[in-house]
Structures are given as C-alpha cells and as structure tokens.
Coordinates of all heavy atoms in Angstrom, one line a residue:
M1 N -88.5 49.2 -124.0 CA -89.3 48.1 -123.5 C -88.6 47.4 -122.4 O -87.4 47.1 -122.5 CB -89.7 47.2 -124.7 CG -90.6 46.1 -124.3 SD -91.1 45.3 -125.8 CE -91.5 43.7 -125.1
L2 N -89.4 47.0 -121.4 CA -88.8 46.2 -120.3 C -89.1 44.7 -120.5 O -90.1 44.3 -120.9 CB -89.4 46.7 -119.0 CG -89.1 48.1 -118.6 CD1 -89.9 48.4 -117.3 CD2 -87.7 48.4 -118.4
D3 N -88.1 44.0 -120.2 CA -88.2 42.5 -120.2 C -88.0 42.0 -118.8 O -87.1 42.6 -118.1 CB -87.1 41.8 -121.1 CG -87.5 41.9 -122.6 OD1 -88.7 42.0 -122.9 OD2 -86.6 41.9 -123.4
I4 N -88.7 41.0 -118.4 CA -88.4 40.3 -117.1 C -87.9 38.9 -117.5 O -88.5 38.2 -118.2 CB -89.7 40.2 -116.3 CG1 -90.2 41.6 -115.9 CG2 -89.4 39.4 -115.0 CD1 -91.5 41.6 -115.2
S5 N -86.7 38.7 -117.0 CA -86.0 37.4 -117.2 C -85.0 37.1 -116.1 O -84.6 38.1 -115.4 CB -85.4 37.3 -118.6 OG -84.4 38.4 -118.7
Q6 N -84.6 35.9 -116.0 CA -83.5 35.6 -115.1 C -82.2 35.5 -115.8 O -82.1 35.1 -117.0 CB -83.8 34.2 -114.4 CG -85.1 34.3 -113.6 CD -85.0 33.3 -112.4 OE1 -84.1 32.5 -112.3 NE2 -85.9 33.5 -111.5
V7 N -81.2 36.0 -115.1 CA -79.8 35.9 -115.6 C -78.9 35.3 -114.6 O -79.2 35.3 -113.4 CB -79.3 37.3 -116.1 CG1 -80.2 37.9 -117.1 CG2 -79.2 38.2 -114.9
G8 N -77.8 34.8 -115.1 CA -76.8 34.2 -114.2 C -76.3 35.3 -113.2 O -75.9 36.4 -113.7
I9 N -76.2 35.0 -112.0 CA -75.9 36.0 -111.0 C -74.4 36.5 -111.2 O -74.1 37.6 -110.9 CB -76.1 35.5 -109.6 CG1 -76.2 36.6 -108.6 CG2 -75.0 34.5 -109.2 CD1 -76.9 36.3 -107.3
E10 N -73.6 35.6 -111.8 CA -72.2 36.0 -112.0 C -72.1 37.0 -113.1 O -71.0 37.6 -113.3 CB -71.3 34.8 -112.2 CG -71.2 33.9 -111.0 CD -70.8 34.6 -109.7 OE1 -69.9 35.4 -109.8 OE2 -71.3 34.2 -108.7
S11 N -73.1 37.2 -113.9 CA -73.1 38.2 -115.0 C -73.5 39.6 -114.6 O -73.5 40.5 -115.4 CB -74.0 37.7 -116.2 OG -75.3 37.8 -115.8
L12 N -73.8 39.8 -113.3 CA -74.2 41.1 -112.8 C -73.0 41.8 -112.2 O -72.2 41.2 -111.5 CB -75.3 40.9 -111.7 CG -76.6 40.2 -112.2 CD1 -77.5 40.0 -111.0 CD2 -77.2 41.0 -113.3
E13 N -72.9 43.1 -112.5 CA -71.8 43.9 -112.0 C -72.4 45.2 -111.3 O -73.5 45.7 -111.8 CB -71.0 44.4 -113.2 CG -70.2 43.3 -113.9 CD -69.4 43.8 -115.0 OE1 -69.2 45.0 -115.2 OE2 -68.8 43.0 -115.7
A14 N -71.7 45.6 -110.3 CA -72.2 46.9 -109.7 C -71.9 48.1 -110.6 O -71.0 48.1 -111.4 CB -71.4 47.1 -108.4
N15 N -72.8 49.1 -110.5 CA -72.5 50.3 -111.2 C -71.6 51.1 -110.4 O -71.6 51.1 -109.2 CB -73.8 51.0 -111.6 CG -74.5 51.6 -110.5 OD1 -73.9 52.5 -109.8 ND2 -75.7 51.2 -110.2
P16 N -70.7 51.9 -111.1 CA -69.6 52.6 -110.3 C -70.1 53.9 -109.6 O -69.4 54.4 -108.8 CB -68.6 52.9 -111.4 CG -69.4 52.9 -112.7 CD -70.5 51.9 -112.5
W17 N -71.4 54.3 -109.9 CA -71.8 55.6 -109.4 C -72.9 55.4 -108.3 O -73.6 56.3 -107.9 CB -72.3 56.5 -110.5 CG -73.1 55.8 -111.5 CD1 -72.6 55.3 -112.7 CD2 -74.5 55.4 -111.5 NE1 -73.6 54.7 -113.5 CE2 -74.8 54.7 -112.7 CE3 -75.5 55.6 -110.6 CZ2 -76.0 54.2 -113.0 CZ3 -76.8 55.1 -110.9 CH2 -77.0 54.4 -112.1
N18 N -73.1 54.2 -107.8 CA -74.1 53.9 -106.8 C -73.6 54.4 -105.4 O -72.7 53.9 -104.8 CB -74.4 52.4 -106.7 CG -75.5 52.1 -105.7 OD1 -76.0 53.0 -105.0 ND2 -75.8 50.8 -105.6
P19 N -74.3 55.5 -104.9 CA -73.9 56.0 -103.6 C -74.4 55.3 -102.4 O -74.1 55.5 -101.2 CB -74.4 57.4 -103.6 CG -75.7 57.3 -104.4 CD -75.4 56.2 -105.4
N20 N -75.3 54.3 -102.6 CA -76.0 53.6 -101.5 C -75.1 52.7 -100.8 O -74.4 51.9 -101.4 CB -77.2 52.9 -102.1 CG -78.1 52.4 -101.0 OD1 -77.9 52.6 -99.8 ND2 -79.2 51.6 -101.4
V21 N -75.1 52.8 -99.4 CA -74.3 51.9 -98.6 C -75.2 51.3 -97.5 O -76.0 52.0 -96.9 CB -73.1 52.7 -97.9 CG1 -72.3 51.8 -97.0 CG2 -72.2 53.3 -98.9
V22 N -75.0 50.0 -97.3 CA -75.8 49.3 -96.3 C -74.8 48.7 -95.3 O -73.9 48.1 -95.7 CB -76.7 48.2 -96.9 CG1 -77.3 47.3 -95.9 CG2 -77.7 48.8 -97.9
D23 N -75.1 48.9 -94.0 CA -74.2 48.4 -93.0 C -74.4 46.9 -92.9 O -75.4 46.3 -93.3 CB -74.4 49.1 -91.7 CG -75.8 48.8 -91.1 OD1 -76.0 47.6 -90.6 OD2 -76.6 49.7 -91.0
P24 N -73.4 46.2 -92.4 CA -73.4 44.7 -92.4 C -74.6 44.1 -91.7 O -75.1 43.1 -92.1 CB -72.1 44.3 -91.7 CG -71.2 45.5 -92.0 CD -72.1 46.7 -92.0
I25 N -75.0 44.7 -90.6 CA -76.2 44.2 -89.9 C -77.4 44.2 -90.7 O -78.2 43.2 -90.8 CB -76.4 45.0 -88.6 CG1 -75.3 44.7 -87.6 CG2 -77.8 44.6 -87.9 CD1 -75.3 45.6 -86.4
N26 N -77.7 45.3 -91.4 CA -78.8 45.4 -92.3 C -78.7 44.5 -93.5 O -79.7 43.9 -94.0 CB -79.1 46.8 -92.7 CG -79.8 47.6 -91.6 OD1 -80.5 47.0 -90.8 ND2 -79.5 48.8 -91.4
Q27 N -77.5 44.3 -94.0 CA -77.3 43.4 -95.1 C -77.6 42.0 -94.7 O -78.2 41.2 -95.4 CB -75.8 43.5 -95.7 CG -75.6 42.6 -96.9 CD -76.4 43.1 -98.1 OE1 -76.6 44.2 -98.3 NE2 -76.7 42.1 -99.0
D28 N -77.2 41.6 -93.5 CA -77.5 40.3 -93.0 C -79.0 40.1 -92.8 O -79.6 39.0 -93.1 CB -76.9 40.1 -91.6 CG -75.3 39.9 -91.7 OD1 -74.8 39.7 -92.8 OD2 -74.7 40.0 -90.7
K29 N -79.7 41.2 -92.4 CA -81.2 41.1 -92.3 C -81.8 40.9 -93.7 O -82.8 40.2 -93.8 CB -81.7 42.4 -91.7 CG -81.4 42.5 -90.2 CD -82.0 43.8 -89.6 CE -81.7 43.9 -88.1 NZ -82.2 45.2 -87.6
L30 N -81.3 41.5 -94.7 CA -81.8 41.4 -96.1 C -81.6 39.9 -96.5 O -82.5 39.3 -97.1 CB -81.1 42.3 -97.0 CG -81.5 42.3 -98.5 CD1 -82.9 42.5 -98.7 CD2 -80.6 43.3 -99.3
V31 N -80.4 39.3 -96.2 CA -80.2 37.9 -96.6 C -81.2 37.0 -95.9 O -81.9 36.2 -96.6 CB -78.8 37.5 -96.2 CG1 -78.6 36.0 -96.3 CG2 -77.7 38.2 -97.0
V32 N -81.5 37.2 -94.6 CA -82.5 36.4 -93.9 C -83.9 36.6 -94.6 O -84.7 35.7 -94.8 CB -82.5 36.7 -92.4 CG1 -83.7 36.1 -91.7 CG2 -81.2 36.3 -91.8
S33 N -84.2 37.9 -94.8 CA -85.5 38.2 -95.4 C -85.7 37.5 -96.8 O -86.8 36.9 -97.1 CB -85.7 39.7 -95.6 OG -86.8 40.0 -96.3
M34 N -84.7 37.6 -97.6 CA -84.8 36.9 -98.9 C -84.8 35.4 -98.8 O -85.4 34.7 -99.6 CB -83.6 37.4 -99.8 CG -83.9 38.8 -100.3 SD -82.5 39.5 -101.3 CE -82.3 38.3 -102.6
E35 N -84.1 34.9 -97.8 CA -84.1 33.4 -97.6 C -85.5 33.0 -97.2 O -86.0 31.9 -97.7 CB -83.2 33.0 -96.5 CG -83.1 31.5 -96.3 CD -82.0 31.2 -95.3 OE1 -81.8 32.0 -94.3 OE2 -81.4 30.1 -95.4
L36 N -86.2 33.8 -96.4 CA -87.6 33.4 -96.0 C -88.7 33.7 -97.0 O -89.6 33.0 -97.2 CB -87.9 34.2 -94.7 CG -87.1 33.8 -93.5 CD1 -87.4 34.7 -92.3 CD2 -87.3 32.3 -93.1
D37 N -88.5 34.9 -97.7 CA -89.6 35.4 -98.5 C -89.3 35.4 -100.0 O -90.1 35.8 -100.8 CB -90.0 36.8 -98.1 CG -90.5 36.9 -96.7 OD1 -91.1 35.9 -96.2 OD2 -90.2 37.9 -96.0
G38 N -88.1 35.1 -100.4 CA -87.7 35.2 -101.8 C -87.4 36.6 -102.2 O -87.4 37.6 -101.4
L39 N -87.3 36.8 -103.5 CA -87.0 38.2 -104.0 C -88.4 38.8 -104.3 O -89.1 38.4 -105.1 CB -86.2 38.0 -105.3 CG -85.8 39.3 -106.0 CD1 -84.8 40.1 -105.1 CD2 -85.2 39.0 -107.3
Q40 N -88.6 39.9 -103.5 CA -89.9 40.6 -103.6 C -89.9 41.7 -104.7 O -91.0 42.1 -105.1 CB -90.3 41.1 -102.3 CG -90.5 40.0 -101.2 CD -91.6 39.1 -101.6 OE1 -92.7 39.5 -101.9 NE2 -91.4 37.8 -101.6
N41 N -88.8 42.3 -104.9 CA -88.7 43.4 -105.9 C -87.6 43.0 -107.0 O -86.5 42.5 -106.6 CB -88.2 44.7 -105.2 CG -89.3 45.2 -104.3 OD1 -90.4 45.4 -104.7 ND2 -88.9 45.4 -103.0
P42 N -87.9 43.2 -108.2 CA -86.9 42.8 -109.2 C -85.7 43.7 -109.2 O -85.7 44.8 -108.7 CB -87.7 43.0 -110.6 CG -88.7 44.1 -110.2 CD -89.1 43.9 -108.8
I43 N -84.6 43.1 -109.7 CA -83.4 43.8 -109.9 C -83.4 44.5 -111.3 O -83.8 43.9 -112.3 CB -82.2 42.8 -109.9 CG1 -82.2 41.9 -108.6 CG2 -80.8 43.5 -110.1 CD1 -82.1 42.6 -107.4
V44 N -83.1 45.8 -111.3 CA -83.1 46.5 -112.6 C -81.7 46.6 -113.1 O -80.8 47.0 -112.4 CB -83.7 47.9 -112.4 CG1 -83.7 48.7 -113.7 CG2 -85.1 47.8 -111.8
V45 N -81.5 46.1 -114.4 CA -80.2 46.1 -115.0 C -80.2 46.7 -116.4 O -81.3 46.9 -117.0 CB -79.6 44.7 -115.0 CG1 -79.6 44.0 -113.7 CG2 -80.4 43.8 -116.0
R46 N -79.0 46.9 -116.9 CA -78.9 47.3 -118.3 C -77.7 46.5 -118.8 O -76.7 46.2 -118.1 CB -78.7 48.7 -118.6 CG -77.4 49.3 -118.0 CD -77.3 50.7 -118.4 NE -76.1 51.3 -117.7 CZ -75.8 52.6 -117.7 NH1 -76.5 53.4 -118.4 NH2 -74.7 53.0 -117.1
E47 N -77.8 46.0 -120.1 CA -76.7 45.3 -120.7 C -75.6 46.3 -121.1 O -75.9 47.3 -121.6 CB -77.1 44.5 -121.9 CG -76.1 43.5 -122.4 CD -76.6 42.5 -123.4 OE1 -77.8 42.6 -123.8 OE2 -75.8 41.6 -123.8
I48 N -74.3 45.9 -120.8 CA -73.2 46.8 -121.1 C -72.4 46.1 -122.2 O -72.7 45.0 -122.6 CB -72.3 47.1 -119.9 CG1 -71.8 45.8 -119.2 CG2 -73.1 47.9 -118.9 CD1 -70.9 46.1 -118.0
S49 N -71.4 46.8 -122.7 CA -70.7 46.4 -123.9 C -70.0 45.1 -123.8 O -69.8 44.4 -124.8 CB -69.7 47.5 -124.4 OG -68.8 47.7 -123.3
T50 N -69.7 44.7 -122.6 CA -69.0 43.4 -122.4 C -69.9 42.2 -122.4 O -69.5 41.1 -122.4 CB -68.3 43.4 -121.0 OG1 -69.3 43.5 -120.0 CG2 -67.3 44.5 -120.9
G51 N -71.3 42.5 -122.5 CA -72.2 41.4 -122.4 C -72.7 41.1 -121.0 O -73.7 40.4 -120.8
A52 N -72.1 41.7 -120.0 CA -72.5 41.6 -118.6 C -73.7 42.6 -118.4 O -74.1 43.4 -119.3 CB -71.4 42.0 -117.7
F53 N -74.3 42.5 -117.2 CA -75.4 43.4 -116.9 C -75.0 44.3 -115.7 O -74.5 43.8 -114.7 CB -76.6 42.6 -116.5 CG -77.2 41.8 -117.7 CD1 -76.8 40.5 -117.9 CD2 -78.0 42.4 -118.6 CE1 -77.2 39.7 -118.9 CE2 -78.5 41.6 -119.7 CZ -78.1 40.3 -119.8
E54 N -75.2 45.6 -115.8 CA -74.9 46.5 -114.8 C -76.2 46.7 -114.0 O -77.2 47.0 -114.5 CB -74.4 47.8 -115.4 CG -74.0 48.9 -114.4 CD -73.5 50.1 -115.1 OE1 -74.3 50.8 -115.8 OE2 -72.3 50.4 -114.9
V55 N -76.1 46.6 -112.7 CA -77.2 46.7 -111.8 C -77.5 48.2 -111.5 O -76.6 48.9 -111.0 CB -77.0 46.0 -110.4 CG1 -78.2 46.2 -109.5 CG2 -76.7 44.5 -110.7
L56 N -78.7 48.6 -111.9 CA -79.1 50.0 -111.7 C -79.8 50.2 -110.4 O -79.8 51.2 -109.8 CB -79.9 50.5 -112.9 CG -79.3 50.4 -114.3 CD1 -80.3 50.8 -115.3 CD2 -78.0 51.2 -114.3
S57 N -80.5 49.1 -110.0 CA -81.3 49.1 -108.8 C -81.3 47.7 -108.2 O -81.8 46.8 -108.9 CB -82.7 49.6 -109.0 OG -83.5 49.5 -107.8
G58 N -80.8 47.5 -107.0 CA -80.9 46.2 -106.4 C -79.5 45.5 -106.1 O -79.5 44.3 -106.0
W59 N -78.5 46.3 -106.0 CA -77.2 45.7 -105.8 C -77.1 45.0 -104.5 O -76.5 43.9 -104.4 CB -76.0 46.8 -105.9 CG -74.7 46.1 -105.7 CD1 -73.8 46.3 -104.7 CD2 -74.1 45.1 -106.5 NE1 -72.7 45.5 -104.8 CE2 -72.9 44.8 -106.0 CE3 -74.5 44.5 -107.7 CZ2 -72.0 43.8 -106.6 CZ3 -73.6 43.6 -108.3 CH2 -72.4 43.3 -107.7
H60 N -77.7 45.5 -103.5 CA -77.6 44.8 -102.2 C -78.5 43.5 -102.2 O -78.1 42.5 -101.5 CB -78.1 45.8 -101.0 CG -77.1 46.9 -100.9 ND1 -77.4 48.1 -101.4 CD2 -75.9 47.0 -100.4 CE1 -76.4 48.9 -101.2 NE2 -75.4 48.2 -100.6
R61 N -79.6 43.5 -102.9 CA -80.3 42.3 -103.1 C -79.5 41.3 -103.9 O -79.6 40.1 -103.7 CB -81.7 42.6 -103.9 CG -82.7 43.2 -102.9 CD -83.9 43.7 -103.6 NE -83.6 45.0 -104.2 CZ -84.2 45.5 -105.3 NH1 -85.1 44.8 -105.9 NH2 -83.9 46.7 -105.7
T62 N -78.7 41.8 -104.9 CA -77.8 40.9 -105.6 C -76.8 40.3 -104.7 O -76.5 39.0 -104.8 CB -77.1 41.7 -106.8 OG1 -78.1 42.3 -107.6 CG2 -76.2 40.8 -107.6
L63 N -76.2 41.1 -103.9 CA -75.2 40.5 -102.9 C -75.9 39.5 -102.0 O -75.3 38.5 -101.6 CB -74.6 41.6 -102.1 CG -73.7 42.6 -102.8 CD1 -73.2 43.7 -101.9 CD2 -72.5 41.9 -103.5
A64 N -77.1 39.8 -101.5 CA -77.8 38.8 -100.7 C -78.1 37.5 -101.4 O -77.9 36.4 -100.9 CB -79.1 39.4 -100.2
A65 N -78.5 37.6 -102.7 CA -78.7 36.4 -103.5 C -77.4 35.6 -103.7 O -77.4 34.4 -103.6 CB -79.3 36.8 -104.9
K66 N -76.3 36.3 -103.9 CA -75.0 35.6 -104.0 C -74.7 34.9 -102.6 O -74.2 33.7 -102.6 CB -73.9 36.6 -104.3 CG -73.9 37.0 -105.7 CD -72.7 38.0 -106.0 CE -72.7 38.4 -107.5 NZ -71.5 39.1 -107.8
A67 N -74.9 35.6 -101.5 CA -74.7 35.0 -100.2 C -75.5 33.7 -100.0 O -75.1 32.8 -99.3 CB -75.0 36.0 -99.1
L68 N -76.7 33.7 -100.6 CA -77.6 32.6 -100.5 C -77.3 31.4 -101.5 O -77.9 30.4 -101.4 CB -79.1 33.0 -100.7 CG -79.6 33.9 -99.5 CD1 -80.9 34.5 -99.9 CD2 -79.8 33.0 -98.3
G69 N -76.4 31.7 -102.4 CA -76.0 30.7 -103.3 C -76.9 30.6 -104.5 O -76.9 29.6 -105.2
W70 N -77.7 31.6 -104.8 CA -78.6 31.5 -105.9 C -77.8 31.6 -107.2 O -77.0 32.5 -107.4 CB -79.6 32.6 -105.8 CG -80.6 32.6 -104.7 CD1 -80.7 31.7 -103.7 CD2 -81.6 33.5 -104.4 NE1 -81.7 32.0 -102.8 CE2 -82.3 33.1 -103.2 CE3 -82.1 34.7 -105.0 CZ2 -83.4 33.8 -102.7 CZ3 -83.1 35.4 -104.5 CH2 -83.8 35.0 -103.3
P71 N -78.0 30.7 -108.1 CA -77.3 30.8 -109.4 C -77.8 31.8 -110.4 O -77.1 32.3 -111.2 CB -77.5 29.3 -110.0 CG -78.8 28.9 -109.4 CD -78.9 29.5 -108.0
T72 N -79.1 32.1 -110.2 CA -79.7 33.2 -111.1 C -80.6 34.1 -110.3 O -80.9 33.8 -109.1 CB -80.6 32.5 -112.2 OG1 -81.7 31.8 -111.5 CG2 -79.9 31.6 -113.1
I73 N -80.9 35.2 -110.8 CA -81.7 36.2 -110.2 C -82.6 36.9 -111.2 O -82.2 36.9 -112.4 CB -80.9 37.2 -109.4 CG1 -81.8 37.9 -108.4 CG2 -80.1 38.1 -110.2 CD1 -81.0 38.7 -107.3

C-alpha cells in the first residue's frame, strides 16, 4: 500500500545504485522550476532499517528541495 506524507528532508538518503546523473546546469534549472511551480511529482521512498528513507525516485528533486531550504518534502 502506498502512503503519501511529508517527511523531514534530512531523513532522505540517496540509494547507492542510482545510475542517473544530472549536469549542474540542468540541476539549477530544476531548482528554479521547483521554486516557481513547487513539487509536481512525488518523491518515491522506502523506509530502511536505520529509520531513514531511501529515495527510489526523485533524488535530484530532493537535492533541489534542499537547495531551496525546504524542511520537508
């Protein structure tokens, strides 16, 4: 079952097997886009044994949210 909720952004961790890389110019564009339009697609996570959440989809959106100073996502 899927839940939609907000979590503290500091509790999110990158997954170690994510092959996706975004160059700095496009990451900056993502930050601007999220600043103007907010988060349009949810971040998909799973809880891991430490109690943190591993990001399965949306790591670059997570980094953009951190750059914007968002406390939760």
Side-chain angles (χ1 to χ4, degrees):
M1 182 172 156
L2 297 177
D3 282 331
I4 297 176
S5 58
Q6 293 213 349
V7 298
I9 201 158
E10 297 304 322
S11 67
L12 300 175
E13 296 181 4
N15 70 60
W17 41 264
N18 183 358
N20 191 3
V21 177
V22 173
D23 65 71
I25 292 171
N26 285 325
Q27 184 67 31
D28 290 344
K29 288 179 182 180
L30 179 58
V31 171
V32 171
S33 172
M34 286 176 55
E35 184 175 35
L36 295 173
D37 301 323
L39 184 64
Q40 298 298 309
N41 294 306
I43 307 300
V44 179
V45 302
R46 67 177 171 184
E47 191 168 5
I48 56 177
S49 61
T50 64
F53 296 94
E54 184 176 65
V55 177
L56 302 176
S57 176
W59 181 246
H60 296 102
R61 284 173 276 152
T62 301
L63 293 176
K66 285 183 178 186
L68 291 167
W70 294 0
T72 62
I73 194 167

